[in-house]
Amino acid sequence: SEIVKAVEIMSLKKIGALIVIERNTKVSEVLKEGVNLSAKVSSELIQNIFMPRTPLHDGAIVIDKSEILAAKCILPLVSVPKNLGTRHRAAVGITEISDALVVVVSEETGIISLVENGKLIRELTGDTLKDLLLAKLDRTKSGVNLKNIVKK
């Protein structure tokens, strides 16, 4: 999986990431604030986007099917436990107003999390993340195409 491969590498290097995977509910309001990319999903591109001190590293990327729609997207923030940071606040926020899945890599700890419906699943391995994404994407209309980039 291109997403999982990128997340595993960023986790090891403690590079923070916020990856929104659209399902049935589109997050077009968020896209308006971001930088349009319309690029094929690849591990290398995802890693490059989140590289610190690069123009696109702040904010989230939004993926639909096998395409990165935009980067540097600003997500709505909500309250989360104090031990979690802004990325987690944003991940929970967008999943409370859409059916998106959000993958978070903590810049401080390298911990990988998956957020769905405002609920965090933390301390995931790459294999566990892949299994969860495959299971959760299987239940959506756009899941067939997304599953292809998770399975690779």
Side-chain angles (χ1 to χ4, degrees), residues 56-114:
L56 300 178
H57 89 279
D58 278 332
I61 63 170
V62 177
I63 296 175
D64 182 33
K65 299 182 178 74
S66 59
E67 181 178 48
I68 300 174
L69 300 177
K72 204 171 182 176
C73 297
I74 305 302
L75 306 181
L77 301 178
V78 296
S79 293
V80 295
K82 294 218 184 281
N83 63 323
L84 301 173
T86 304
R87 280 187 188 86
H88 295 88
R89 292 176 60 204
V92 171
I94 194 68
T95 64
E96 287 183 348
I97 60 169
S98 74
D99 68 347
L101 295 173
V102 182
V103 179
V104 182
V105 178
S106 170
E107 189 173 332
E108 291 181 19
T109 64
I111 290 174
I112 301 167
S113 303
L114 181 66

Side-chain angles (χ1 to χ4, degrees), residues 23-85:
R23 293 196 285 181
N24 296 320
T25 308
K26 303 304 174 198
V27 292
S28 48
E29 285 302 311
V30 167
L31 294 175
K32 289 178 188 172
E33 301 297 320
V35 175
N36 183 37
L37 292 181
S38 299
K40 183 178 179 224
V41 172
S42 73
S43 171
E44 294 82 6
L45 180 56
I46 293 170
Q47 291 175 67
N48 195 58
I49 289 169
F50 289 111
M51 190 62 56
R53 293 178 293 285
T54 58
L56 300 178
H57 89 279
D58 278 332
I61 63 170
V62 177
I63 296 175
D64 182 33
K65 299 182 178 74
S66 59
E67 181 178 48
I68 300 174
L69 300 177
K72 204 171 182 176
C73 297
I74 305 302
L75 306 181
L77 301 178
V78 296
S79 293
V80 295
K82 294 218 184 281
N83 63 323
L84 301 173

